[in-house]
Amino acid sequence: DRIRQYLNARGITDAIIDGYELGWGEFYGRWWITIPIKNEEGDYTFFKLRQDPEDTANKDKYKFYPTGSRATIYGWDMLAGNTDSIVICEGEFDCLLLTVSGIPAITSTAGAGTFKEEWISKLKKLKKVYICFDKDEAGEKGAERLIPMLDKALPKTAIYKITFPERMTEGKDITDYFTKYSG
């Protein structure tokens, strides 16, 4: 219940929690929020583990189970049959929050700086791609790296970089924008 309430406070509804099978489990001697990760074919391949928000002794915000799992796109299903637009964001919870709002989104399971060039071909049918990384140094660097790659590989696709408003002083990501600034 505590974890469900935490996710609800982040704008992730019970229907999304259940539909995307978010869970709670013990791995590596700690308790984690579990995010099942599917491959492009829709098969489960690993868990991304998110630190328990009350486990302040845990130095790791995220881990993979099993160890050695490779980064992939979270949200492959958002690309199936989609020819309009997608938001590339910086985390699974941000993706899920956008899904609650009816906005198709994907992310790399390993952060803003790890969107792989080989994944870009999967975006070629889209008319628009929006980049919305966190308002911090890693997010800026990730966008600076990704946008030229997209421009080069997708010449017929409009590429947009979403920036958060200056008034957004508390928080740095999509979740903060929706939960603290009413979207």
Side-chain angles (χ1 to χ4, degrees):
D1 285 342
R2 176 178 62 82
I3 297 301
R4 188 174 286 270
Q5 290 171 3
Y6 167 78
L7 293 170
N8 292 161
R10 293 183 61 104
I12 301 171
T13 64
D14 286 341
I16 293 292
I17 292 168
D18 296 341
Y20 283 83
E21 302 185 78
L22 302 183
W24 175 245
E26 187 177 5
F27 297 86
Y28 308 116
R30 295 192 174 282
W31 286 87
W32 303 81
I33 298 170
T34 57
I35 306 166
I37 307 297
K38 295 180 180 182
N39 62 17
E40 190 175 356
E41 292 76 34
D43 300 319
Y44 291 106
T45 56
F46 64 94
F47 283 116
K48 179 147 180 204
L49 307 174
R50 169 64 157 82
Q51 174 191 60
D52 177 341
E54 292 184 4
D55 185 357
T56 55
N58 186 351
K59 295 179 289 184
D60 297 312
K61 187 173 181 181
Y62 293 102
K63 276 191 174 273
F64 290 145
Y65 180 84
T67 333
S69 298
R70 299 183 51 136
T72 189
I73 286 179
Y74 180 75
W76 283 112
D77 57 317
M78 293 294 166
L79 294 170
N82 183 353
T83 58
D84 187 39
S85 64
I86 199 84
V87 174
I88 302 174
C89 57
E90 196 175 329
E92 294 81 9
F93 290 164
D94 287 341
C95 267
L96 294 171
L97 177 56
L98 289 172
T99 300
V100 168
S101 302
I103 301 168
I106 59 174
T107 190
S108 167
T109 58
T114 59
F115 201 91
K116 295 182 180 183
E117 208 165 327
E118 65 203 54
W119 299 337
I120 294 174
S121 65
K122 306 300 182 183
L123 310 176
K124 65 184 174 193
K125 293 180 181 176
L126 295 166
K127 295 175 190 155
K128 299 170 277 203
V129 174
Y130 297 89
I131 311 303
C132 190
F133 289 162
D134 292 358
K135 185 178 162 182
D136 60 13
E137 186 178 346
E140 285 300 317
K141 284 183 179 181
E144 287 172 14
R145 178 185 161 272
L146 180 57
I147 290 170
M149 289 171 35
L150 293 170
D151 270 340
K152 182 179 177 185
L154 305 172
K156 296 180 181 181
T157 303
I159 311 297
Y160 300 97
K161 180 183 176 202
I162 297 173
T163 55
F164 293 107
E166 289 300 316
R167 68 180 171 80
M168 195 172 143
T169 56
E170 291 184 34
K172 63 176 185 164
D173 62 15
I174 290 168
T175 297
D176 294 327
Y177 181 71
F178 276 85
T179 60
K180 294 179 181 177
Y181 293 90
S182 301

